[in-house]
Amino acid sequence: MEERNLESNNTIDGNFEEVTVKKVIEFKPPLYRQRYYFVKNLVNQHKPKKVADLGCGDASLLWLLKFHSCIELLVGVDINEDKLKWKGSKLSPFLGDFLSPRDLDLTIFLYHGSAVERDSRLLGFDLITCIELIEHLDPEDLARFPKVVFGYFSPAMVIISTPNIEFNPLFPTVTLRDSDHKFEWNRMQFQTWALDVANLYNYSVEFTGVGEPPAGSEEVGYCTQIGIFQKNHAMPSNPCKSEQHSEIVYKPIFTVTYPSLQQKRFRQLVLTNEVFREVQSMRRTFVQNLKPPNEESAKSEDTGLSNACITLLKPVFTEAEKNKIEKSPAPFCIGNNFYVPLERLLAYPKVNRLCENIEVLKALLADSVVLNSDGSALKVDLLDEEEIY
Ligand code: SAM
């Protein structure tokens, strides 16, 4: 079976069984990835803002989820502190995250703690995932789990995945899939437990899974069974976060905040860069148009390469965007100064997305550009290409 070693070496998810199991069934993509993609698809569908992964292990699912622009808060909790250590660098922003910041904020926390302990920082989430976690809980903890996750954390949605023991006979030497598993359930056992939990805490639940059985063995069901729980909003819900006492139990291991356009300095950087690019392009066009026709061919030979680059890098506008730009006040020149009206800049879609109005545009550009005397246009030297920084 094509599976990564998530747990210990004598596991179905590990390498030890790989040779024997390969004869029987091969999952493509590997089963652990199918579970992650399943969560990713649900995130795409439901666009949660706050997501927590209980029993997050080496934070692989969190790493995949951090690319979703809808998520603003991502939390991983695991009882094994060693698994969480050093996962920081994996979850830290790349250079590209600074060059092209997200639209919305993203903060990631990793906590050392147990899924069966209450911590008020996990209140008010849109989605809590428990991927291959419950089978690691002993009976006492399994009994506490619904009280904490559904009764206390009470998120809008919970995804629980766990092995389907009915699939195990397809693995020749397996009784339980991992030495740390306290139990593995058949579909009836999981669904009975899940329906009881859902009824008790006012959730509805649907069942599905990943890891298709091979042809001829369809009756065993998916290798991994999954319950998707959704809170019934019509029913009276728990007091909201502000009404609950704060309970801080988990130990913070790692925190990071991503650069985003919500943060002034990154919005300023992106805006200044965009304005600089558009102004350069307008000024070049303006200078080109000033040249007498006989000089034009010589000029285009000189600047042919750089103009070609600029053309390639130029954004492509829709007809409506082009019209909006053309209708706005045009750039002009007085003496050696080239002026671009702020209204013109605001007509460019990217600039417009970064600033709601002229006042915001002015405030964000204040430190990086020179304006004309009435503050309505950006002023640069007609010939000095480096000036506006
Ligand atoms: N969810 C991850 C994944 O799918 O890749 C890891 C799954 S691994 C099979 C189970 C994880 O649950 C381990 O990292 C283990 O340390 C963690 N775990 C076990 N009991 C826990 C508990 N009571 N609270 C939080 N995490 C727990």
Side-chain angles (χ1 to χ4, degrees), residues 7 36 55 57 78-80 83 113-115 131-133 136-137:
E7 297 161 328
Y36 297 164
D78 204 285
I79 202 161
N80 184 337
K83 281 198 178 180
S114 169
I131 306 302
E132 306 299 273
L133 166 70
H136 292 266
L137 304 179

Side-chain angles (χ1 to χ4, degrees), residues 239-260:
C240 71
K241 187 174 178 175
S242 57
E243 295 165 41
Q244 303 219 18
H245 295 299
S246 100
E247 294 182 58
I248 306 294
V249 175
Y250 296 162
K251 176 177 156 195
I253 299 292
F254 171 78
T255 307
V256 69
T257 299
Y258 271 64
S260 94

Side-chain angles (χ1 to χ4, degrees), residues 325-351:
I325 293 167
E326 276 160 23
K327 277 189 189 157
S328 67
F332 57 93
C333 185
I334 302 175
N336 279 337
N337 291 327
F338 180 65
Y339 296 89
V340 181
L342 298 184
E343 266 189 68
R344 179 73 162 206
L345 287 172
L346 211 55
Y348 283 81
K350 268 198 172 173
V351 175

Side-chain angles (χ1 to χ4, degrees), residues 283 286 332-340 378-383 387:
R283 176 163 58 176
F286 194 90
F332 57 93
C333 185
I334 302 175
N336 279 337
N337 291 327
F338 180 65
Y339 296 89
V340 181
L378 185 154
K379 179 175 108 176
V380 292
D381 192 291
L382 188 61
L383 301 170
E387 187 191 341

